[in-house]
Amino acid sequence: MTPEIVILAMIAAFLGLRLYSVLGRRAEHEEEPIQGRFEGRQGRPGAPRLPAQPQPDTKTEAKAEDRARMETAPRPREMPLAPPPAERGLAEIASADRRFDAFAFLEGARGAYRMILEAFWKGDKAELRQLCDADVYGAFAGAIDARLAAGETLDNRLVRIEECSVVAAGVDSGVARITLRFRADIAAVTRDVAGDVIAGSLDDAVEAVDVWTFSRPLNSPDPDWLLTETDAG
C-alpha cells in the first residue's frame, strides 16, 4: 500500500468521526421531551389533559353564603291592606299581643263567618253560643225562635266569600277589636211548614254585605275571638 493511500484513508476516517460527532448526537435542548396537545394522567401519554382547577376564593364564597342566607331568611309579614287608621290599630294589637298574626286572623274570620251563618240557618244555638258574645247570641237566638214559631225553615247556601277586608281595628280598655267587611254570594230559600218555597231561590245567588266586629280580651288565655257586633254593609 502506497503512502498516499494510507494518508487518504486516515483523512477519510478523521472526517467520518467528525461527521458522526455532529450528526449522531442531539443537542441538549432537543433531548428533552416536547409537551404536545395531550398530557397523560400521571405522565402517561395519550390521555386528555385536564384543565387546572381554580383555587377557591374564600372571600367571594363567604359573600355568596351571606347573600343566600339573607335571601332565604324569614321576613316579617306585612299587615293586610286596610285604611291607615285600621293599619295602626292592627299594629297596636300586634304590639300588645306578640302571638297575633293579622293574616291568620283574616283566614280564621272567613271560617267563622261561614260557621256562624250556617249555624243560624240551621238553628244550631249551641254552635252560636260558642262563636258569639251574649248580646249577639241573644239576637240570633230570638230570630231562630221567631222563625220556628212561624213554622219556617231556611235552606240557604253560602256560595263564596268575595271579600273579607279590615275596616277598623284597635285596643280599647285591654280588649282588641277588629271590624271586618264581608261581601258574599248567598243562595237563600225560605220554606213553610210543608216544605214549600215561599221566598228565594237556590238557583240565583244574592250578594250580601255584612260588617262584623270580633273581639278578644288581651289578657285572656283563650285565643278565640268572639263576634260582638253585626251590621248590614
Side-chain angles (χ1 to χ4, degrees):
M1 179 179 297
T2 60
E4 290 83 3
I5 295 175
V6 173
I7 292 173
L8 291 175
M10 292 176 63
I11 292 173
F14 176 77
L15 292 177
L17 290 173
R18 293 291 299 171
L19 287 174
Y20 175 80
S21 66
V22 174
L23 300 178
R25 297 178 57 192
R26 297 170 58 180
E28 291 182 359
H29 69 276
E30 293 177 339
E31 291 177 356
E32 297 177 357
I34 300 174
Q35 190 174 39
R37 294 178 56 194
F38 298 98
E39 181 180 42
R41 288 187 290 269
Q42 298 182 355
R44 291 180 299 174
R49 183 179 183 182
L50 298 178
Q53 297 296 325
Q55 295 297 321
D57 188 341
T58 56
K59 293 183 179 180
T60 302
E61 289 183 355
K63 291 180 180 179
E65 290 177 359
D66 292 340
R67 185 166 55 251
R69 281 195 295 267
M70 293 177 61
E71 292 175 352
T72 58
R75 301 176 180 177
R77 302 181 70 178
E78 297 178 354
M79 289 295 178
L81 294 177
E87 287 185 354
R88 290 192 293 270
L90 292 174
E92 183 182 9
I93 295 173
S95 177
D97 183 0
R98 296 297 182 182
R99 298 173 300 176
F100 175 72
D101 186 318
F103 286 92
F105 170 83
L106 286 178
E107 191 64 27
R110 293 171 70 93
Y113 180 73
R114 177 181 294 275
M115 293 171 62
I116 292 171
L117 286 181
E118 292 178 349
F120 173 67
W121 295 335
K122 293 185 297 184
D124 189 345
K125 294 182 181 180
E127 182 77 2
L128 291 171
R129 192 184 297 275
Q130 297 180 11
L131 300 171
C132 310
D133 74 350
D135 292 338
V136 173
Y137 168 77
F140 280 139
I144 291 173
D145 292 340
R147 191 170 68 221
L148 293 175
E152 297 175 353
T153 57
L154 297 180
D155 187 10
N156 295 1
R157 180 168 55 90
L158 178 59
V159 179
R160 69 180 64 85
I161 299 175
E162 296 285 357
E163 176 189 354
C164 175
S165 57
V166 179
V167 175
V171 177
D172 183 15
S173 301
V175 178
R177 290 187 173 87
I178 302 179
T179 301
L180 304 177
R181 180 179 186 269
F182 294 95
R183 183 168 58 86
D185 294 333
I186 296 175
V189 169
T190 302
R191 300 181 185 274
D192 60 16
V193 67
D196 297 327
V197 176
I198 59 176
S201 170
L202 286 176
D203 296 329
D204 297 322
V206 178
E207 182 179 82
V209 179
D210 294 298
V211 179
W212 288 8
T213 299
F214 294 87
S215 303
R216 175 184 173 273
L218 292 174
N219 61 356
S220 173
D222 188 352
D224 293 335
W225 295 66
L226 295 179
L227 177 62
T228 56
E229 293 182 26
T230 61
D231 291 299

